[in-house]
Amino acid sequence: FRNLGLPLAKDDIVQLKEAYKWIIHPQLSEELGVPADGKSLFEVSVVFAHPETDKECHFLATACPDCFKPAKNKQSVFTRMAVIKALEKIKEEDFLKHFPCPPSSPEKLCDALEIQCNNGAVFVAGRYNKYSRNLPQTPWIIDGERKLESSVEELISEHLMAEFKADSFNFSSSGREDVDVRTLGNGRPFAIELVNPRRIHFTAEEMKRLQQAINDSSDKIQVRDLQLVTRSAIGRMKEGEEEKTKTYSALIWTDKAIQREDIAFLDDIKELKLEQKTPLRVLHRRPLAVRCRLIHTMRAEYIDEHHFRLHLKTQAGTYIKEFVHGDFGRTKPNIGSLLNRTADILELDVESVDVDWPPTLAD
């Protein structure tokens, strides 16, 4: 090109892997009888070896010794990035001394050592209700010992894993509830990433049947709006974690007797600001911090002299149990301090998680 007086910019040079795709895609297409798509989520990975040319870039180490440094997780120092770095540093005349240009044709064919076929991940979303006060959201394992036999995550994912024939899964949700807390109303949004599924195409009717199978398998949970979603759509579940609201129903006990008028004032409190130190019960997994949270509204329902039910609408991330009993003064104010007596929580239910995702499906 240079002898012909034609300029050849870096962008004009075709990467070897691109040239390889131009050659191999039509061959694969013809052999398998299907179109080849370079942007498909189905990926065929091939590892080639060619002993004859294994050492052809070793001379670069003399040009740039600093480029090739051993690393624990690398089998060879001659990595792609290290070779590119050395090629940028070596002078053209030095390169030509060590390497014929054009290179000589290889005498032996290369070997395909390993061929792997992988499907891109598939994402399934929905909402779940939890009706048990003895079921964690995720497997409860402490010091390698399992505490409870199942979890919300497992009850849902075992059916999806079997139907999608996936290698593994990752479960995520819009917040989480304690093991002894029920989730009622429209349920809590969740998403499951299914890694390398063997089956990826499901009709809406098949998803409905899968949802029914999950619901028939346990009386502890129910799933609704089960659907396939994109990876980017899952971000919507996590957006505004702090901004969204949640409504709860708490059964509260007080040490001193109460009358209806003693709790009536709670109904008038709006936008109550709390300062919550990380609760003692979660300090082993959350950093110590003071979080400011809002109780938007409250409504008290008198039961008897020592019990009432409190309906709350709160900012996401509010620790409700601690707002009731005070957590040894770590949450201020709290129901105990507002009523000027000792209060404790006997039962807690999540009534709604106000996230408009995933889309509601028709029955």
Side-chain angles (χ1 to χ4, degrees):
F1 270 84
R2 193 175 294 144
N3 293 343
L4 293 168
L6 298 171
L8 191 64
K10 205 171 184 178
D11 292 345
D12 296 323
I13 299 167
V14 176
Q15 291 281 332
L16 187 61
K17 64 177 183 180
E18 292 303 317
Y20 172 74
K21 286 177 191 173
W22 294 347
I23 296 164
I24 204 76
H25 281 184
Q27 292 183 6
L28 276 172
S29 215
E30 190 178 340
E31 196 69 33
L32 301 173
V34 291
D37 176 5
K39 292 183 172 65
S40 165
L41 288 175
F42 181 73
E43 189 177 90
V44 181
S45 167
V46 187
V47 177
F48 290 107
H50 192 234
E52 192 185 325
T53 55
D54 267 358
K55 294 185 171 61
E56 69 177 15
C57 60
H58 286 205
F59 72 89
L60 290 170
T62 57
C64 180
D66 291 345
C67 298
F68 303 99
K69 291 194 172 157
K72 282 182 186 175
N73 57 345
K74 296 282 193 305
Q75 289 181 324
S76 167
V77 294
F78 292 94
T79 61
R80 175 191 174 90
M81 293 312 293
V83 168
I84 287 172
K85 199 172 170 185
L87 284 171
E88 285 172 352
K89 288 198 170 187
I90 194 169
K91 291 177 182 171
E92 192 171 349
E93 55 267 27
D94 292 335
F95 179 82
L96 291 170
K97 280 180 201 166
H98 296 280
F99 198 82
C101 192
S104 52
S105 296
E107 292 175 11
K108 294 178 183 172
L109 295 173
C110 57
D111 297 315
L113 294 186
E114 190 184 324
I115 300 175
Q116 272 194 343
C117 296
N118 289 294
N119 247 326
V122 167
F123 299 87
V124 176
R127 297 176 87 102
Y128 73 79
N129 289 105
K130 177 165 97 72
Y131 301 119
S132 169
R133 296 199 188 278
N134 197 32
L135 184 71
Q137 189 195 63
T138 52
W140 194 5
I141 297 163
I142 298 173
D143 297 330
E145 186 184 335
R146 193 177 182 111
K147 294 296 179 187
L148 290 168
E149 64 179 36
S150 193
S151 64
V152 173
E153 174 187 293
E154 290 162 296
L155 289 172
I156 298 172
S157 64
E158 63 184 355
H159 294 273
L160 297 178
M161 286 287 287
E163 289 296 323
F164 283 80
K165 298 178 171 58
D167 284 349
S168 59
F169 71 91
N170 296 306
F171 179 92
S172 59
S173 63
S174 183
R176 57 189 299 140
E177 67 286 305
D178 289 341
V179 62
D180 58 349
V181 174
R182 296 187 304 177
T183 298
L184 309 175
N186 280 338
R188 186 185 295 280
F190 72 89
I192 294 181
E193 175 187 14
L194 294 150
V195 179
N196 191 23
R198 306 304 189 277
R199 186 183 169 195
I200 58 172
H201 298 295
F202 284 78
T203 63
E205 197 54 47
E206 286 172 323
M207 291 302 288
K208 203 171 279 188
R209 283 201 292 271
L210 185 49
Q211 175 175 296
Q212 193 58 51
I214 294 169
N215 292 342
D216 290 344
S217 69
S218 173
D219 59 359
K220 293 181 176 182
I221 64 155
Q222 289 281 288
V223 169
R224 69 178 68 202
D225 300 328
L226 197 69
Q227 58 196 278
L228 291 164
V229 295
T230 61
R231 183 190 291 271
S232 59
I234 291 184
R236 290 203 277 282
M237 181 177 74
K238 292 294 181 186
E239 279 171 13
E241 278 282 338
E242 297 296 311
E243 284 71 40
K244 70 172 181 272
T245 59
K246 295 183 180 180
T247 55
Y248 297 89
S249 167
L251 179 61
I252 297 171
W253 167 87
T254 60
D255 64 333
K256 295 176 188 170
I258 52 167
Q259 301 304 318
R260 288 179 195 276
E261 52 269 25
D262 295 328
I263 58 171
F265 76 96
L266 294 173
D267 293 12
D268 299 324
I269 296 176
K270 303 284 185 284
E271 306 302 327
L272 178 66
K273 289 181 181 171
L274 306 184
E275 286 193 355
Q276 295 197 300
K277 270 189 190 171
T278 305
L280 293 170
R281 65 189 170 93
V282 299
L283 258 180
H284 63 286
R285 58 185 169 88
R286 293 266 168 91
L288 178 60
V290 177
R291 294 172 179 83
C292 295
R293 293 289 184 264
L294 283 174
I295 306 286
H296 298 300
T297 59
M298 286 187 276
R299 181 171 60 83
E301 198 180 300
Y302 184 80
I303 297 173
D304 59 37
E305 288 189 336
H306 289 282
H307 300 89
F308 70 98
R309 187 168 289 282
L310 187 64
H311 301 274
L312 310 102
K313 185 170 189 175
T314 76
Q315 180 183 355
T318 306
Y319 291 107
I320 305 300
K321 290 176 178 177
E322 283 66 25
F323 171 59
V324 174
H325 59 62
D327 200 24
F328 302 102
R330 295 168 72 84
T331 288
K332 296 174 183 175
N334 54 68
I335 290 295
S337 69
L338 291 170
L339 295 177
N340 198 24
R341 63 201 67 204
T342 300
D344 207 350
I345 187 163
L346 303 180
E347 287 180 354
L348 180 63
D349 292 329
V350 179
E351 298 281 0
S352 75
V353 179
D354 304 323
V355 177
D356 190 19
W357 189 91
T360 304
L361 301 179
D363 290 334

